[in-house]
Amino acid sequence: MADVKPLTRAAILAVGSELLTPSRIDTNSLFITEQLNRIGIEVVLKLVVGDSREELARAFQLARSRAELVVSCGGLGPTDDDVTREAVAGVLGRPLAEDEAITAQLRARFAARGFTTPMPEINRRQAMVPKGARVLENTRGSAPGLWIEDEDGLTLLLPGPPRELRPMLSSLVDGQLGTRSSGTSISRRVIRVAGRIESHVDEVLSPLYREWEALQVPIGATILAALGQIELHLSVRSASRDEADAALERAAAQVVEFLGADVFTTRGLAMEQVVGDLLVDRNLRIALAESCTGGLITSRLTDVPGSSRYVQQSVVVYSNESKTDLAAVPPSLIATHGAVSEEVAVAMAEGIRSRAAVDVGVGVTGIAGPGGGSADKPVGTVAIAVAASGSNTRSRVFRFTGEREQIKFQASQAALDMVRRMLISR
Amino acid sequence: MADVKPLTRAAILAVGSELLTPSRIDTNSLFITEQLNRIGIEVVLKLVVGDSREELARAFQLARSRAELVVSCGGLGPTDDDVTREAVAGVLGRPLAEDEAITAQLRARFAARGFTTPMPEINRRQAMVPKGARVLENTRGSAPGLWIEDEDGLTLLLPGPPRELRPMLSSLVDGQLGTRSSGTSISRRVIRVAGRIESHVDEVLSPLYREWEALQVPIGATILAALGQIELHLSVRSASRDEADAALERAAAQVVEFLGADVFTTRGLAMEQVVGDLLVDRNLRIALAESCTGGLITSRLTDVPGSSRYVQQSVVVYSNESKTDLAAVPPSLIATHGAVSEEVAVAMAEGIRSRAAVDVGVGVTGIAGPGGGSADKPVGTVAIAVAASGSNTRSRVFRFTGEREQIKFQASQAALDMVRRMLISR
């Protein structure tokens, strides 16, 4: 019988030749990691292999030597390309045999989908089970999962499609896998900062890192620069989820103390969610006049469920005429200062606020590139203004770097951040 | 001296503990794969490890046993967390020694950035070079790359930040790595299809797969379902890039013959690029009235450089008043049919076309969810209309499934596809 040692380390094996091309990437491992972390299992290694029995066998051997739990996804389909069962059974020295109950289920499933011909015999490959393995029901597809255990550890073979893999793994984590974990869990918290560069955040927080490391239950911290925001990822391993949450809560409060209003979320929220929550909280509505961002700010705001309560309207005013027509920008202002100018951004913000009769108006005008730049106003120059009832209009000119889409995103982030800062100052 | 055998198989090793958390994924390997494929090198294995010397050493050993070329990225920074140099040098049995020229460059770089204190001594770690390794200049950052060769193969250690890794690898592929490849290259082509489900495309194309496999220079084909589109990935390995391109061109033409106008690109273009190209080609301008897509369609259109030539303006009309105010939708129409109706979509498309005085008008109204659905009009119901000068307005009601953002994306894709089909029919 298998030795029952607690599971603390896992390796993830993603199978599929498409995952080795320039256009596809394994994303299942993110969900798998999240689920395993919930029950205190850390991922120490990820491997991606093609539909090759030999490569898969070698990768599986390494995975098995580094971790007590190996989770594979993919390669359980009915075709010759699907070699996970064979490769793993080979390494473990377990002969494959057809499980008649699975075959019967596959036939029934096939018939239920209204096919008039019987199930192709090739599909019986999905009913092959390594000796001593436990079959995991697939409620969303034809490939059952497999649970194979021996003295060296536990191997889970899961189907590749996320909609099949996710419910199967979640129910294992809530059930038989959860009871086999070490009893601790890894809790994580993502804190996001706007308007600061990475090295500044890192320097300011360095005393905290040392303090967190020395705690009885130490908090791990990683700082990452993302587009338009700096992220601080905190993690703590603890037997008590309440204790872990309390530790992360204290750490988050310390970060806010050190960085102030530059912290826009201590709960991993997106900027558009934070701004949306503030608008709901203060019962305000917003309208936007976007030029170089081309609708991206409004699209981000409307990614948030319930945003129809506060997003009143937006106009995308690429041309000078539409800036005048839809955002009430005087043509003389454009003639004097140019369409990309702080003055025009202010006129756009105030114009759309007044036209839409809302509380908050935003105006954004800039040069997203790659063309359109000049020595005076290079590509990446973006003027942003926020007008709100009862406040002075705020405006600022930014210089972003990067490709067109990156400039658009950074401009959208800066505009939302200006709205956020205006709202929290009221 | 090193044996000079052609390089055909590569393994990629991504290093960094953040790549083993639920929120970060290795994406460098996509660029690395693309570059290596250009010179006929196939990726057979990808590994992701944390900042652990032991894990890295084990992963590197497997990588080296499976491929003649190992490319690692990350872990070359100056801190204790950066262990790639040490781990790889250990496995290869090559002692590390400080390269004084690199140290001098690091000090100069530090001084040039305007720091008044001298470079911290810890940064000298970046000047440590395994015996016999060649140093690869980093034009964008402080960590140099390393080229280490022995009788078993070639190892490249590259920095993790994409803006540093990319130019370094590209210049290697154009230069010394290119001359070491097998003389063949892997060419790829991505064909995209809209308005069809995966199994339909697969069935229609199955005779082609068999034909391509039997060719003297066989063409590999993989079909993948993505949100709002089906993708067909073709690949061919050939000594002659012209021959490969001709083979892919013929295959693409066959696909178009079998699937007709459902194919929207045979060159891997995004839908917004295809629509933009058609608008430029026909010298037409477009305006949009978006409700449930919240500006996403316009944002996608304006992701394309030069789109200011044809995107005249857009309005995001979430509220009924703004539909009337900005897209000239009669209030009685909304009262009779509801804001989410084919009739209102048509009025939005025709209204914005006329208001903006452009050739093509688009109207989109729907329920992105999670709230707002009814038995009659469930979440995912989206009405789309396209009005163009000299054509009858086309409209259609769709039922999309998925989360809010997925519904928004599918609606934006369907709207752009309707514009495309109208334009190619003229």
Side-chain angles (χ1 to χ4, degrees), chain A residues 205-250:
Chain A
L205 298 183
S206 59
L208 289 181
Y209 300 157
R210 284 192 293 274
E211 187 183 325
W212 294 340
E213 268 175 28
L215 290 173
Q216 203 178 358
V217 180
I219 295 174
T222 309
I223 189 164
L224 294 164
L227 203 59
Q229 60 198 23
I230 306 300
E231 296 183 354
L232 186 69
H233 292 231
L234 305 182
S235 65
V236 61
R237 178 190 280 273
S238 167
S240 150
R241 182 164 280 274
D242 287 348
E243 183 187 71
D245 285 345
L248 291 174
E249 194 62 43
R250 275 193 302 275

Short mmCIF file of all heavy atoms in Angstrom, two decimals, chain A residues 205-250:
data_model
loop_
_atom_site.label_atom_id
_atom_site.label_comp_id
_atom_site.label_asym_id
_atom_site.label_seq_id
_atom_site.Cartn_x
_atom_site.Cartn_y
_atom_site.Cartn_z
N LEU A 205 10.33 50.27 0.87
CA LEU A 205 9.80 49.12 1.63
C LEU A 205 10.87 48.23 2.24
O LEU A 205 10.54 47.32 3.01
CB LEU A 205 8.88 48.27 0.73
CG LEU A 205 7.62 48.96 0.19
CD1 LEU A 205 6.81 47.96 -0.62
CD2 LEU A 205 6.75 49.54 1.31
N SER A 206 12.14 48.50 1.94
CA SER A 206 13.17 47.53 2.37
C SER A 206 13.19 47.28 3.88
O SER A 206 13.42 46.12 4.28
CB SER A 206 14.56 47.92 1.83
OG SER A 206 14.90 49.20 2.28
N PRO A 207 12.93 48.27 4.74
CA PRO A 207 12.88 47.93 6.18
C PRO A 207 11.77 46.92 6.50
O PRO A 207 11.92 46.07 7.39
CB PRO A 207 12.59 49.27 6.87
CG PRO A 207 12.85 50.32 5.85
CD PRO A 207 12.69 49.70 4.51
N LEU A 208 10.68 47.01 5.75
CA LEU A 208 9.57 46.08 5.99
C LEU A 208 9.96 44.65 5.62
O LEU A 208 9.62 43.70 6.32
CB LEU A 208 8.33 46.49 5.19
CG LEU A 208 7.61 47.75 5.64
CD1 LEU A 208 6.40 48.01 4.76
CD2 LEU A 208 7.16 47.61 7.10
N TYR A 209 10.66 44.49 4.48
CA TYR A 209 11.06 43.13 4.07
C TYR A 209 11.80 42.44 5.21
O TYR A 209 11.55 41.28 5.51
CB TYR A 209 11.99 43.17 2.85
CG TYR A 209 11.45 43.80 1.59
CD1 TYR A 209 12.32 44.30 0.62
CD2 TYR A 209 10.08 43.88 1.35
CE1 TYR A 209 11.85 44.87 -0.54
CE2 TYR A 209 9.61 44.46 0.18
CZ TYR A 209 10.50 44.96 -0.76
OH TYR A 209 10.04 45.52 -1.91
N ARG A 210 12.74 43.19 5.82
CA ARG A 210 13.55 42.58 6.88
C ARG A 210 12.70 42.21 8.08
O ARG A 210 12.85 41.15 8.66
CB ARG A 210 14.67 43.54 7.29
CG ARG A 210 15.80 43.58 6.26
CD ARG A 210 17.03 44.30 6.80
NE ARG A 210 16.79 45.72 7.01
CZ ARG A 210 16.93 46.65 6.05
NH1 ARG A 210 17.28 46.29 4.82
NH2 ARG A 210 16.71 47.91 6.32
N GLU A 211 11.77 43.11 8.40
CA GLU A 211 10.87 42.85 9.53
C GLU A 211 10.02 41.60 9.26
O GLU A 211 9.85 40.75 10.13
CB GLU A 211 9.98 44.08 9.73
CG GLU A 211 9.11 44.02 10.97
CD GLU A 211 8.20 45.25 11.08
OE1 GLU A 211 8.62 46.36 10.68
OE2 GLU A 211 7.05 45.07 11.52
N TRP A 212 9.48 41.50 8.05
CA TRP A 212 8.60 40.37 7.70
C TRP A 212 9.34 39.04 7.73
O TRP A 212 8.80 38.03 8.14
CB TRP A 212 7.97 40.60 6.31
CG TRP A 212 7.04 41.75 6.25
CD1 TRP A 212 6.41 42.37 7.30
CD2 TRP A 212 6.64 42.47 5.08
NE1 TRP A 212 5.65 43.40 6.84
CE2 TRP A 212 5.77 43.50 5.49
CE3 TRP A 212 6.93 42.34 3.72
CZ2 TRP A 212 5.18 44.38 4.60
CZ3 TRP A 212 6.35 43.22 2.82
CH2 TRP A 212 5.48 44.23 3.27
N GLU A 213 10.58 39.06 7.26
CA GLU A 213 11.38 37.82 7.24
C GLU A 213 11.62 37.28 8.64
O GLU A 213 11.73 36.08 8.82
CB GLU A 213 12.75 38.10 6.60
CG GLU A 213 12.79 37.85 5.11
CD GLU A 213 14.14 38.27 4.53
OE1 GLU A 213 15.15 38.24 5.27
OE2 GLU A 213 14.17 38.64 3.35
N ALA A 214 11.74 38.22 9.61
CA ALA A 214 12.09 37.82 10.97
C ALA A 214 10.88 37.42 11.80
O ALA A 214 11.03 37.00 12.95
CB ALA A 214 12.83 38.98 11.65
N LEU A 215 9.69 37.53 11.24
CA LEU A 215 8.48 37.17 11.99
C LEU A 215 8.46 35.68 12.30
O LEU A 215 9.06 34.88 11.58
CB LEU A 215 7.22 37.53 11.19
CG LEU A 215 6.91 39.01 11.00
CD1 LEU A 215 5.73 39.17 10.05
CD2 LEU A 215 6.59 39.65 12.35
N GLN A 216 7.71 35.34 13.35
CA GLN A 216 7.60 33.92 13.70
C GLN A 216 6.96 33.15 12.54
O GLN A 216 7.38 32.06 12.20
CB GLN A 216 6.75 33.79 14.95
CG GLN A 216 7.03 32.50 15.68
CD GLN A 216 6.23 32.39 16.94
OE1 GLN A 216 5.49 33.30 17.32
NE2 GLN A 216 6.36 31.25 17.61
N VAL A 217 5.93 33.75 11.95
CA VAL A 217 5.37 33.23 10.70
C VAL A 217 5.81 34.21 9.61
O VAL A 217 5.18 35.25 9.40
CB VAL A 217 3.83 33.16 10.78
CG1 VAL A 217 3.27 32.62 9.47
CG2 VAL A 217 3.40 32.30 11.95
N PRO A 218 6.92 33.92 8.94
CA PRO A 218 7.50 34.92 8.04
C PRO A 218 6.62 35.17 6.81
O PRO A 218 5.91 34.29 6.33
CB PRO A 218 8.82 34.28 7.59
CG PRO A 218 8.98 33.01 8.35
CD PRO A 218 7.66 32.66 8.95
N ILE A 219 6.69 36.42 6.36
CA ILE A 219 5.95 36.82 5.15
C ILE A 219 6.96 36.98 4.03
O ILE A 219 7.94 37.70 4.17
CB ILE A 219 5.20 38.14 5.39
CG1 ILE A 219 4.13 37.94 6.46
CG2 ILE A 219 4.59 38.66 4.09
CD1 ILE A 219 3.43 39.22 6.86
N GLY A 220 6.72 36.29 2.94
CA GLY A 220 7.58 36.44 1.77
C GLY A 220 7.07 37.59 0.91
O GLY A 220 5.86 37.80 0.81
N ALA A 221 7.98 38.34 0.30
CA ALA A 221 7.57 39.48 -0.53
C ALA A 221 8.37 39.49 -1.82
O ALA A 221 9.57 39.27 -1.82
CB ALA A 221 7.80 40.78 0.23
N THR A 222 7.66 39.69 -2.93
CA THR A 222 8.31 39.83 -4.23
C THR A 222 7.76 41.08 -4.89
O THR A 222 6.55 41.31 -4.87
CB THR A 222 7.99 38.63 -5.16
OG1 THR A 222 8.28 37.43 -4.45
CG2 THR A 222 8.81 38.68 -6.43
N ILE A 223 8.64 41.89 -5.44
CA ILE A 223 8.19 43.10 -6.12
C ILE A 223 8.32 42.90 -7.63
O ILE A 223 9.29 42.33 -8.10
CB ILE A 223 8.99 44.33 -5.62
CG1 ILE A 223 8.39 45.61 -6.15
CG2 ILE A 223 10.45 44.24 -5.97
CD1 ILE A 223 8.88 46.84 -5.41
N LEU A 224 7.29 43.32 -8.36
CA LEU A 224 7.28 43.12 -9.80
C LEU A 224 6.80 44.38 -10.50
O LEU A 224 5.81 44.99 -10.07
CB LEU A 224 6.34 41.96 -10.17
CG LEU A 224 6.75 40.58 -9.68
CD1 LEU A 224 5.57 39.62 -9.77
CD2 LEU A 224 7.91 40.05 -10.51
N ALA A 225 7.49 44.76 -11.56
CA ALA A 225 7.04 45.92 -12.33
C ALA A 225 6.14 45.45 -13.45
O ALA A 225 6.53 44.64 -14.27
CB ALA A 225 8.26 46.65 -12.90
N ALA A 226 4.90 45.92 -13.47
CA ALA A 226 3.99 45.62 -14.57
C ALA A 226 3.69 46.93 -15.28
O ALA A 226 4.07 48.01 -14.81
CB ALA A 226 2.72 44.98 -14.03
N LEU A 227 3.03 46.85 -16.41
CA LEU A 227 2.75 48.06 -17.18
C LEU A 227 1.81 48.96 -16.37
O LEU A 227 0.70 48.55 -16.01
CB LEU A 227 2.11 47.66 -18.51
CG LEU A 227 2.21 48.66 -19.66
CD1 LEU A 227 3.66 48.98 -20.00
CD2 LEU A 227 1.50 48.11 -20.88
N GLY A 228 2.27 50.17 -16.09
CA GLY A 228 1.41 51.13 -15.40
C GLY A 228 1.23 50.88 -13.92
O GLY A 228 0.46 51.59 -13.27
N GLN A 229 1.89 49.86 -13.36
CA GLN A 229 1.77 49.62 -11.92
C GLN A 229 2.92 48.78 -11.40
O GLN A 229 3.51 48.00 -12.14
CB GLN A 229 0.43 48.95 -11.59
CG GLN A 229 0.22 47.61 -12.28
CD GLN A 229 -1.24 47.18 -12.29
OE1 GLN A 229 -2.15 47.99 -12.18
NE2 GLN A 229 -1.46 45.89 -12.41
N ILE A 230 3.22 48.97 -10.14
CA ILE A 230 4.20 48.13 -9.46
C ILE A 230 3.41 47.21 -8.54
O ILE A 230 2.48 47.64 -7.86
CB ILE A 230 5.17 48.98 -8.60
CG1 ILE A 230 5.81 50.08 -9.45
CG2 ILE A 230 6.21 48.10 -7.93
CD1 ILE A 230 6.63 49.57 -10.60
N GLU A 231 3.76 45.93 -8.56
CA GLU A 231 3.02 44.97 -7.73
C GLU A 231 3.91 44.40 -6.64
O GLU A 231 5.06 44.07 -6.88
CB GLU A 231 2.52 43.80 -8.59
CG GLU A 231 1.53 44.23 -9.64
CD GLU A 231 0.99 43.06 -10.44
OE1 GLU A 231 1.49 41.92 -10.23
OE2 GLU A 231 0.08 43.28 -11.24
N LEU A 232 3.34 44.29 -5.47
CA LEU A 232 4.03 43.64 -4.37
C LEU A 232 3.23 42.37 -4.03
O LEU A 232 2.05 42.44 -3.68
CB LEU A 232 4.07 44.58 -3.16
CG LEU A 232 4.89 44.11 -1.98
CD1 LEU A 232 6.39 44.11 -2.32
CD2 LEU A 232 4.63 44.99 -0.77
N HIS A 233 3.88 41.21 -4.20
CA HIS A 233 3.21 39.94 -3.93
C HIS A 233 3.67 39.43 -2.57
O HIS A 233 4.85 39.16 -2.38
CB HIS A 233 3.58 38.92 -5.00
CG HIS A 233 3.02 39.23 -6.36
ND1 HIS A 233 2.32 38.32 -7.10
CD2 HIS A 233 3.02 40.36 -7.09
CE1 HIS A 233 1.95 38.87 -8.25
NE2 HIS A 233 2.36 40.11 -8.26
N LEU A 234 2.74 39.30 -1.65
CA LEU A 234 3.06 38.79 -0.32
C LEU A 234 2.54 37.36 -0.19
O LEU A 234 1.47 37.04 -0.72
CB LEU A 234 2.39 39.65 0.77
CG LEU A 234 2.70 41.15 0.75
CD1 LEU A 234 2.00 41.82 1.93
CD2 LEU A 234 4.19 41.39 0.80
N SER A 235 3.28 36.52 0.51
CA SER A 235 2.78 35.17 0.75
C SER A 235 3.17 34.73 2.14
O SER A 235 4.19 35.14 2.69
CB SER A 235 3.33 34.19 -0.30
OG SER A 235 4.71 34.07 -0.17
N VAL A 236 2.33 33.90 2.71
CA VAL A 236 2.60 33.37 4.04
C VAL A 236 2.05 31.94 4.12
O VAL A 236 0.99 31.65 3.57
CB VAL A 236 2.01 34.30 5.13
CG1 VAL A 236 0.51 34.43 5.00
CG2 VAL A 236 2.37 33.84 6.52
N ARG A 237 2.83 31.08 4.75
CA ARG A 237 2.37 29.69 4.93
C ARG A 237 1.98 29.53 6.39
O ARG A 237 2.78 29.83 7.28
CB ARG A 237 3.49 28.72 4.58
CG ARG A 237 3.10 27.26 4.80
CD ARG A 237 4.29 26.35 4.68
NE ARG A 237 4.65 26.06 3.32
CZ ARG A 237 4.12 25.07 2.60
NH1 ARG A 237 3.20 24.28 3.14
NH2 ARG A 237 4.51 24.85 1.38
N SER A 238 0.78 29.06 6.61
CA SER A 238 0.32 28.94 7.98
C SER A 238 -0.71 27.84 8.11
O SER A 238 -1.42 27.51 7.16
CB SER A 238 -0.29 30.28 8.41
OG SER A 238 -1.01 30.12 9.60
N ALA A 239 -0.78 27.27 9.30
CA ALA A 239 -1.77 26.25 9.57
C ALA A 239 -3.15 26.87 9.74
O ALA A 239 -4.17 26.21 9.55
CB ALA A 239 -1.40 25.47 10.83
N SER A 240 -3.17 28.14 10.10
CA SER A 240 -4.44 28.80 10.32
C SER A 240 -4.66 29.87 9.27
O SER A 240 -3.87 30.81 9.14
CB SER A 240 -4.45 29.45 11.72
OG SER A 240 -5.26 30.60 11.72
N ARG A 241 -5.71 29.71 8.51
CA ARG A 241 -6.00 30.69 7.46
C ARG A 241 -6.30 32.06 8.08
O ARG A 241 -5.92 33.09 7.54
CB ARG A 241 -7.16 30.20 6.59
CG ARG A 241 -7.51 31.11 5.45
CD ARG A 241 -8.38 30.43 4.40
NE ARG A 241 -7.59 29.60 3.52
CZ ARG A 241 -6.97 30.05 2.42
NH1 ARG A 241 -7.05 31.33 2.09
NH2 ARG A 241 -6.28 29.25 1.65
N ASP A 242 -6.95 32.05 9.25
CA ASP A 242 -7.24 33.32 9.92
C ASP A 242 -5.95 34.03 10.31
O ASP A 242 -5.81 35.23 10.14
CB ASP A 242 -8.08 33.07 11.19
CG ASP A 242 -9.51 32.70 10.83
OD1 ASP A 242 -9.89 32.87 9.65
OD2 ASP A 242 -10.24 32.23 11.73
N GLU A 243 -5.02 33.24 10.86
CA GLU A 243 -3.73 33.81 11.26
C GLU A 243 -3.00 34.39 10.04
O GLU A 243 -2.45 35.49 10.09
CB GLU A 243 -2.87 32.71 11.90
CG GLU A 243 -1.55 33.18 12.42
CD GLU A 243 -0.68 32.01 12.88
OE1 GLU A 243 -0.19 31.23 12.03
OE2 GLU A 243 -0.50 31.88 14.10
N ALA A 244 -3.04 33.64 8.95
CA ALA A 244 -2.38 34.11 7.73
C ALA A 244 -3.03 35.39 7.23
O ALA A 244 -2.34 36.36 6.89
CB ALA A 244 -2.47 33.02 6.64
N ASP A 245 -4.35 35.41 7.22
CA ASP A 245 -5.05 36.61 6.75
C ASP A 245 -4.73 37.81 7.63
O ASP A 245 -4.51 38.92 7.12
CB ASP A 245 -6.57 36.37 6.73
CG ASP A 245 -6.98 35.49 5.56
OD1 ASP A 245 -6.15 35.31 4.64
OD2 ASP A 245 -8.11 34.96 5.58
N ALA A 246 -4.67 37.58 8.93
CA ALA A 246 -4.36 38.68 9.85
C ALA A 246 -2.95 39.20 9.60
O ALA A 246 -2.71 40.41 9.58
CB ALA A 246 -4.52 38.21 11.30
N ALA A 247 -2.00 38.28 9.38
CA ALA A 247 -0.61 38.69 9.13
C ALA A 247 -0.53 39.50 7.84
O ALA A 247 0.16 40.53 7.78
CB ALA A 247 0.29 37.46 9.05
N LEU A 248 -1.23 39.04 6.81
CA LEU A 248 -1.19 39.76 5.52
C LEU A 248 -1.88 41.11 5.65
O LEU A 248 -1.45 42.10 5.04
CB LEU A 248 -1.85 38.92 4.42
CG LEU A 248 -1.08 37.66 4.02
CD1 LEU A 248 -1.89 36.82 3.03
CD2 LEU A 248 0.27 38.02 3.41
N GLU A 249 -2.93 41.16 6.44
CA GLU A 249 -3.65 42.41 6.65
C GLU A 249 -2.75 43.44 7.34
O GLU A 249 -2.70 44.61 6.94
CB GLU A 249 -4.89 42.13 7.52
CG GLU A 249 -5.91 43.24 7.57
CD GLU A 249 -6.53 43.55 6.20
OE1 GLU A 249 -6.85 42.60 5.47
OE2 GLU A 249 -6.63 44.75 5.89
N ARG A 250 -2.02 42.98 8.37
CA ARG A 250 -1.07 43.89 9.05
C ARG A 250 0.01 44.36 8.10
O ARG A 250 0.35 45.54 8.06
CB ARG A 250 -0.41 43.15 10.24
CG ARG A 250 -1.21 43.17 11.54
CD ARG A 250 -0.35 42.70 12.72
NE ARG A 250 0.19 41.34 12.53
CZ ARG A 250 -0.47 40.22 12.83
NH1 ARG A 250 -1.69 40.27 13.35
NH2 ARG A 250 0.09 39.05 12.64
#
